Structure formats: structure tokens, C-alpha cells
Amino acid sequence: MMYGYTWDLTTPLTYAASILPILLIGLTVTLQAAAAGFALALVLGLAFALLRRSRIKAVALTTAFVVEFLRDTPLLVQLFFLYYVLPDYGITLPAFLTGVIALGLQYSAYTSEVYRGGIEAIPRGQWEAATALNMTRWQTYRDIVIPQMVPRIVPTMGNYLVAMLKETPVLSVVTVLEMLGLANMIGERTFEYLVPLSMVGIIFLLLTLICSAGIHRLEKVLPKAGIPLR
Amino acid sequence: MNKVLAQQPDAASAAAAPVIEFRGVTKRFGALTVLDDFNFSVAPGEKVTLIGPSGSGKSTVLRILMTLEPFQEGQLTLAGIPYHEPNGKGPFRASDRHLHQIRSHVGMVFQSFNLFPHMSVLRNVTEAPVAVLGLSRAEAECRAIDLLRMVGLADKKDQYPAQLSGGQQQRVAIARALAMRPRVLLFDEPTSALDPQLVGEVLGVIRNLASEHDLTMLLVTHEMRFAREVSDRVCFFDKGRIVEEGEPERIFTAPAEPRTREFLQSVLG
């Protein structure tokens, strides 16, 4: 029994039906972690990309170093560090929040590269026109560069969203009760792993298919020229 | 008055305070010297055309004026403001604030239009007046519609650049530049990217501007007939220097320099 649901091992089908509610509870955790982590990665990645283009050398170099560090160290190491080391320095974060931060930080390193590529793909003439109109760098990013960049980066960002979604089970190592962790616990108690693990696999497959379809749709809907401004 | 002064450019710069003044400006791209000890001044309201072979430095003059390119030596002033600050840093040797001040006096029309593709025509023309000049959207739109009417495109205000022809895009770009109310407007080969049948409409708009406004205009063009018609003064460039300058009638009918004659023969056929 878990979360008030008891399993029924009569047949694989009854077993599956009886543990589905438990896995769906785990699924909501998975979805929340992926959504929050991805939102963080999108915001932080953009900040990193812009800071890396700063004309102040020290800022650009420090950012480049941080991004490189985040990208080149395993997610698991970052996760353990946040969860087990930070409390020694008086910072104790709930497991779920730790997971979201770790996912967000790691993926912000990837998304910042995507943003960077997107920004560099904006033709020079756009920057020059903005300069000739006396717009500041910030105004140029906000109104000219970013709206035009978005349609170009959606496909790659979509891939990272799917990748992050599939990596959320890592959070179970810091006691976040997401879907795979719960399936594993069910297996430990029933000695019957096949059904719960298969279900998790299928649910992930469905999730990524839905995500990919959504991103494909978004690509279709967004005008190639950029987010329209009237 | 401009015509009289134009015959004696040196006297012109002495008589009225020039709005643009290059003194000994040298611009290099690596080992290549694009402008070499360049001296040039423009009186307020003057319409000057820069002609010459490609790579002779004409466009660089405009790009330096628009602060799109820094220069290494010499002095440049616009409306009395020097481009370099005494303790200015970076390639432009000036702070962002200083560059902002310079840019507030000058606008530019590009060969490739460079309209913002994600913005409606109206938004293209109102974007900077709202963001930079701080106008209310209503006021900026009111001004923009007047300008669009002037270039004959008021009915296209809700379209996007991709829906317009090249000539129409360039006319929007002219309206966009004018919306910032510059004292000096730079045209960098404004018709070179256009299909031949669209050149006329753009030249028509520039011609009206030249005859009706006291805007100072600098125009780089290969349209010789047009240059002859609209400008007070024509400057022939070669290898980073002005080889010959003067009233268009004289330059086009009786060029003094052999290089000018050669160039005109090659382009006029």
C-alpha cells in the first residue's frame, strides 16, 4: 500500500490498474520538476547568453567560465553538491527545490549556447538599423533581437525540454518521489518490477511524444520573421 | 546660396559653421587604409552626393558618421560635437552616452533597408520614437502616419515588411529614419538593392525630401543622373580621398581630373 492505494497482483492487468494512481502522483512531481527546471533554464540561460556578450571583459569571461563549468560537470555531482554540501554552509533546501535548481542550472548552460547561436544568427543590418535609430543595447535585445531569435531556437529548445524530462528520474537519488522512484519502491515491496517499470517507460514515451508534437505545433504557429509586434 | 558656396567648398566651410567636419580622419581595417587623412565638411542643409568606384571609402564616410565604424586618427564633429571624448575609451573613444548624443542628430537609410521583419510598418516607424524619444504611442503613430503618407504608404501601415516590394520597404525605411527627426540624413546606396523598375519611386521620395526640407543630406549612389539633379555638390572619391568636388553640372560636364573623367565615362557609358 502506498498513498492509500493497495496493489492487486492477481493478473498483470489488475496490478497495472491498481498502481496507476500511485504512478500518476509521481508523474505530477516529474512534470512539476521538469516545468520549473525548464523555466529556470530558459531564464537563466538567456541571462548567461547576454552576460557572455557583455562588453565588460571580466563579466563575459566569468560567465563563460561558469557556463562551461555547469556544462562539463555531471548533473548528479551538482545535485549531490547542492543537497549534501550546501547544508554544511547553512543552506538547506527542500529536496524538490534542490532538484529543480540542479536541473535548471545544468540546462541553463545548454540553453545559453542555444540563445547565443540564435543571437548571432540575427543579421548585422538589424543591429545597425537599431544603432542608427539610437536604440540602446538593451532596447535592441528586447525589441529587435529576442523577438526574432525565438522562432529560430524553438526546435533546439524543444529537444532540451524532452531531454530534461527524461532526466528527471535522477532526482530520486535526493529523495524526490517522482515516477521512477515510486515504481522502484513498488517493485521492492511486491518483488514484481516488470509491470511498474514498463508503465514508467510507456508514460515517458507518451510524454515525450506529446512534447515533441507540441513543439512542432509551436514551430508551425510562430511566424518565421519573429514574434510579431504591431 | 548653397550653389554659390558649393563652387568653393573651402569658403563654404568658413562662412557657415559646418554641420559635419572631418579633419585629417584616417580609417584603417587592419592593414587596409580606407580613409587617408580625410578632410571634408558639409554646410547645414547642404545635399552632397558621394560618387566613385566601389571600395573608395564613400560608404565608410557614412558609416563613421553613423557611429557604426570607429576611426583611428583625426577629428570629426557633428553639429559641433566631437566624436571622440578627451578621455574616451573603447574603439569609439567615447562613452555610450556620448555616442547616444551624437546619434540623436543623424539618421541612416541602408542599401538593404534593414526593416524589422517582425514589426508592422507602423511599428517600424514608431518603435524608436517611443523607445528612444519617449513619445506616447498615440503621438508617435500620428507622426508616423504623416510620414508614411509623405512616402505614399499610409495604406500599408498594418502590413509586414515581407509583404512589401523592395521599393516600398525602402520608402518605409526613409520614413523610419525621418521619424527620429535627424538634422543629417545619410543614404547608403539606397537603390542599389532594388529591381530597376522600383528605383524611381525611391528616388522620387528622396528628391522631394531634398527639395522641401532643410535636412542635410549625404548620399552615396550610383545613380548619376539623380545625383546631378538633387545635389548641391558632388564629391568624387578614389582610394580614400576626395579627388574632385564641385557643383554637379561642372563635375558631370567638365571634370578636371582624369580619374573623374575615367570613372564617369565607365558608369555613364
Side-chain angles (χ1 to χ4, degrees):
Chain A
M1 180 161 142
M2 202 181 280
Y3 294 125
Y5 295 98
T6 41
W7 32 78
D8 174 2
L9 287 157
T10 331
T11 67
L13 262 177
T14 56
Y15 184 31
S18 63
I19 61 171
L20 185 61
I22 304 172
L23 293 182
L24 289 182
I25 291 169
L27 174 64
T28 59
V29 176
T30 297
L31 288 178
Q32 282 165 3
F38 198 61
L40 184 62
L42 286 180
V43 173
L44 214 55
L46 182 59
F48 283 150
L50 297 184
L51 287 173
R52 206 166 170 174
R53 291 174 59 87
S54 166
R55 279 174 297 177
I56 303 163
K57 277 256 159 61
V59 173
L61 285 176
T62 311
T63 312
F65 178 80
V66 169
V67 168
E68 212 51 45
F69 179 84
L70 289 172
R71 202 162 53 146
D72 297 343
T73 50
L75 177 58
L76 210 47
V77 175
Q78 292 172 20
L79 200 54
F80 280 161
F81 193 89
L82 289 174
Y83 197 64
Y84 297 114
V85 180
L86 284 190
D88 292 347
Y89 298 91
I91 305 169
T92 308
L93 300 171
F96 179 78
L97 188 60
T98 307
V100 166
I101 291 173
L103 281 174
L105 275 178
Q106 169 115 101
Y107 276 81
S108 69
Y110 300 138
T111 59
S112 85
E113 288 298 300
V114 180
Y115 284 124
R116 196 158 73 119
I119 292 170
E120 279 166 11
I122 302 296
R124 235 168 86 112
Q126 294 290 304
W127 288 96
E128 293 187 346
T131 303
L133 291 168
N134 213 355
M135 295 171 72
T136 62
R137 252 166 96 82
W138 162 241
Q139 287 165 343
T140 307
Y141 276 123
R142 188 193 60 195
D143 296 349
I144 312 298
V145 174
I146 293 173
Q148 288 188 61
M149 171 188 72
V150 170
R152 296 167 201 250
I153 62 173
V154 163
T156 324
M157 287 299 187
N159 290 342
Y160 280 122
L161 173 61
V162 169
M164 177 187 272
L165 198 57
K166 290 191 297 180
E167 238 181 315
T168 47
V170 170
L171 303 196
S172 59
V173 301
V174 291
T175 75
V176 174
L177 287 174
E178 51 64 63
M179 196 167 41
L180 182 67
L182 288 176
N184 208 29
M185 283 165 66
I186 295 169
E188 278 166 9
R189 304 230 195 132
T190 60
F191 303 106
E192 172 51 78
Y193 285 94
L194 176 68
V195 169
L197 290 185
S198 306
M199 287 174 76
V200 169
I202 291 167
I203 292 173
F204 266 114
L205 180 66
L206 289 175
L207 272 185
T208 50
L209 285 176
I210 292 167
C211 269
S212 302
I215 283 149
H216 203 68
R217 175 114 194 88
L218 190 59
E219 272 176 63
K220 284 261 162 64
V221 170
L222 279 179
K224 290 277 166 291
I227 296 169
L229 298 177
R230 284 235 142 241
Chain B
M1 173 171 166
N2 282 335
K3 291 233 153 58
V4 178
L5 292 173
Q7 284 171 326
Q8 297 162 297
D10 290 338
S13 51
V19 64
I20 295 168
E21 192 169 25
F22 285 80
R23 267 180 296 163
V25 168
T26 296
K27 161 75 185 166
R28 293 184 210 94
F29 288 109
L32 182 73
T33 302
V34 189
L35 290 180
D36 186 11
D37 191 21
F38 180 72
N39 294 293
F40 177 56
S41 62
V42 178
E46 205 180 359
K47 325 296 182 208
V48 182
T49 308
L50 314 182
I51 61 169
S54 55
S56 58
K58 315 172 301 267
S59 288
T60 306
V61 168
L62 303 195
R63 293 176 58 80
I64 285 176
L65 277 166
M66 195 61 257
T67 70
L68 298 175
E69 299 282 354
F71 56 95
Q72 284 79 34
E73 281 160 43
Q75 275 148 27
L76 171 59
T77 57
L78 179 84
I81 310 163
Y83 274 54
H84 290 164
E85 284 186 300
N87 297 315
K89 290 191 173 54
F92 288 94
R93 284 193 261 157
S95 64
D96 283 351
R97 243 184 80 197
H98 187 75
L99 292 173
H100 191 77
Q101 196 200 348
I102 292 170
R103 288 177 196 135
S104 69
H105 296 290
V106 53
M108 186 156 176
V109 174
F110 298 88
Q111 180 178 348
S112 48
F113 332 134
N114 298 346
L115 289 182
F116 303 130
H118 59 303
M119 292 184 183
S120 66
V121 164
L122 189 64
R123 182 70 187 250
N124 261 283
V125 183
T126 55
E127 170 68 21
V130 171
V132 180
L133 303 180
L135 296 190
S136 71
R137 191 155 291 283
E139 196 182 349
E141 286 185 356
C142 192
R143 272 165 63 164
I145 286 168
D146 280 346
L147 287 166
L148 288 172
R149 200 170 288 138
M150 195 188 82
V151 300
L153 291 171
D155 57 325
K156 304 280 186 197
K157 70 181 171 63
D158 294 322
Q159 308 237 301
Y160 284 83
Q163 298 168 293
L164 305 182
S165 73
Q168 292 172 331
Q169 288 190 48
Q170 192 62 298
R171 282 146 67 196
V172 173
I174 292 170
R176 180 176 73 170
L178 287 171
M180 295 301 282
R181 301 206 166 156
R183 295 180 60 171
V184 175
L185 191 51
L186 311 169
F187 292 87
D188 189 9
E189 303 197 23
T191 58
S192 297
L194 296 176
D195 292 337
Q197 75 272 19
L198 301 177
V199 168
E201 59 187 74
V202 172
L203 294 185
V205 166
I206 300 174
R207 187 183 293 120
N208 286 342
L209 261 183
S211 61
E212 287 166 20
H213 291 260
D214 54 3
L215 196 66
T216 306
M217 286 170 43
L218 249 67
L219 182 77
V220 171
T221 186
H222 295 292
E223 300 286 333
M224 293 302 153
R225 208 154 9 114
F226 179 71
R228 185 166 172 175
E229 199 186 318
V230 300
S231 31
D232 300 317
R233 176 160 50 121
V234 173
C235 301
F236 173 69
F237 273 66
D238 196 26
K239 300 193 175 89
R241 285 168 179 269
I242 294 175
V243 175
E244 183 170 8
E245 62 182 321
E247 206 182 324
E249 280 310 309
R250 187 187 67 69
I251 296 278
F252 285 109
T253 53
E257 293 288 327
R259 270 187 284 174
T260 318
R261 226 171 295 145
E262 242 170 73
F263 174 76
L264 288 175
Q265 258 163 20
S266 71
V267 292
L268 297 173

